[in-house]
Amino acid sequence: MPFRLNPGAHEPAPSLADRLRSAERTQYGIWVCSGSPLNAEICAGAGLDIVLIDGEHSPIGLETTLGLLQAVAAYPVAPLVRAPIGDTVIVKQLLDLGAQNLLIPMVNSAEEAEAMVRAVHYPPRGVRGVGSALARSSRWSRIDDYLARAGDLVSLFVQIETVEAVAAAADIAAVEGVDGLLVGPADLAASMGLLGQQSHPDVVAAVESVIAVGAEAGKPVGVNAFDPEVAERYAAAGAAWVLVGADVALLARASEALAARFVGDAGPEGRASY
């Protein structure tokens, strides 16, 4: 008997943008920065909504990203991949290896956001190179009409991380093809001259102003907040999604707690969160 695919066997999961639009509560996520597929699978099965694979502040490259996406694919989470930089070639590579949801760091203007929209779309709307028959993104041409549908299957999020980006947040949110924003309080604090002070009232106010801008534009805004009280504040302020931890940070704090209990003083308390 000849082999035949089951109908819908290669239909992609809903994008993160689709999930956020239909969500009835704030969505919560965790970073995977270690590069370990085992850690990624543990995080994916924990019951959170989003697993964010970080290609910017980690040793994670293209081949590792592929393995991490494969590790979390069996779980009902939305995998989001952060590119190391908003580069058209890197975006193409991440899309082709199967990153359905992309996050671009350090987007400071509507023009930069528009460039990233072009990077994720095939011509004539964009400039994404056509290699879908060779790529996991189309499941090697097993996804019906992938080339025609790709723009609807991919979601694009951009990061607001500087004073300039906060000032331009309304223009960035208005860019067609940008599905949502993520505020990075750590870099934003540094940009404001408040390095390491993510919970400073001025930083919190700036984050909440972006959340309000997103609500006005109908674009979901996320934020990093490893401090539970701050995370709850941002959720109450209208953040659609909050990233509340990272695999490496959880391991660091948990191992320090063991050392403090069984060995003694393990070092300074109250270490800064991301």
Side-chain angles (χ1 to χ4, degrees), residues 83-97 99 102 104 116 118-121 128 156:
I85 188 174
D87 177 85
T88 300
V89 173
I90 292 173
V91 166
K92 172 182 63 178
Q93 291 176 303
L94 289 173
L95 290 172
D96 281 354
L97 62 78
L102 280 184
I104 307 299
M116 291 299 95
R118 291 192 295 273
V120 303
H121 287 280
R128 179 182 174 186
L156 172 67

Side-chain angles (χ1 to χ4, degrees):
M1 178 181 293
F3 173 76
R4 287 184 173 85
L5 294 174
N6 294 326
H10 297 284
E11 187 64 18
S15 70
L16 177 55
D18 289 336
R19 294 180 189 224
L20 291 172
R21 278 190 287 267
S22 62
E24 297 180 354
R25 59 166 176 81
T26 304
Q27 302 288 284
Y28 293 95
I30 186 169
W31 295 83
V32 171
C33 305
S34 64
S36 163
L38 187 61
N39 284 357
E41 186 171 1
I42 291 170
C43 291
L48 293 165
D49 304 297
I50 301 166
V51 170
L52 203 164
I53 297 166
D54 184 23
E56 184 185 18
H57 292 294
S58 77
I60 296 173
L62 292 171
E63 292 182 2
T64 303
T65 298
L66 172 59
L68 297 176
L69 288 171
Q70 291 170 328
V72 306
Y75 296 86
V77 295
L80 175 63
V81 177
R82 178 161 73 171
I85 188 174
D87 177 85
T88 300
V89 173
I90 292 173
V91 166
K92 172 182 63 178
Q93 291 176 303
L94 289 173
L95 290 172
D96 281 354
L97 62 78
Q100 186 181 6
N101 309 296
L102 280 184
L103 174 65
I104 307 299
M106 289 289 179
V107 173
N108 293 316
S109 68
E111 290 75 19
E112 292 178 7
E114 289 166 354
M116 291 299 95
V117 172
R118 291 192 295 273
V120 303
H121 287 280
Y122 289 121
R125 184 177 182 186
V127 297
R128 179 182 174 186
V130 181
S132 60
L134 312 175
R136 181 174 178 266
S137 58
S138 73
R139 298 304 186 268
W140 304 277
S141 297
R142 291 171 180 164
I143 294 177
D144 290 339
D145 299 321
Y146 178 79
L147 288 176
R149 300 171 58 204
D152 296 325
L153 300 176
V154 172
S155 64
L156 172 67
F157 295 81
V158 300
Q159 280 197 258
I160 305 296
E161 302 184 85
T162 64
V163 171
E164 293 79 11
V166 170
D171 292 335
I172 294 170
V175 172
E176 184 179 357
V178 169
D179 293 296
L181 312 176
L182 175 68
V183 188
D187 279 305
L188 178 56
S191 175
M192 297 172 69
L194 298 167
L195 182 65
Q197 300 180 60
Q198 293 92 298
S199 297
H200 189 283
D202 291 348
V203 178
V204 172
V207 172
E208 291 181 340
S209 74
V210 178
I211 293 173
V213 164
E216 180 70 20
K219 300 288 178 74
V221 176
V223 61
N224 283 326
F226 289 9
D227 181 326
E229 291 185 1
V230 177
E232 289 168 355
R233 172 171 179 165
Y234 287 142
W241 49 300
V242 185
L243 300 165
V244 293
D247 60 344
V248 291
L250 291 170
L251 178 59
R253 301 294 84 80
S255 58
E256 288 161 5
L258 288 174
R261 176 168 180 171
F262 294 106
V263 179
D265 184 9
E269 297 182 358
R271 298 180 190 274
S273 66
Y274 183 59

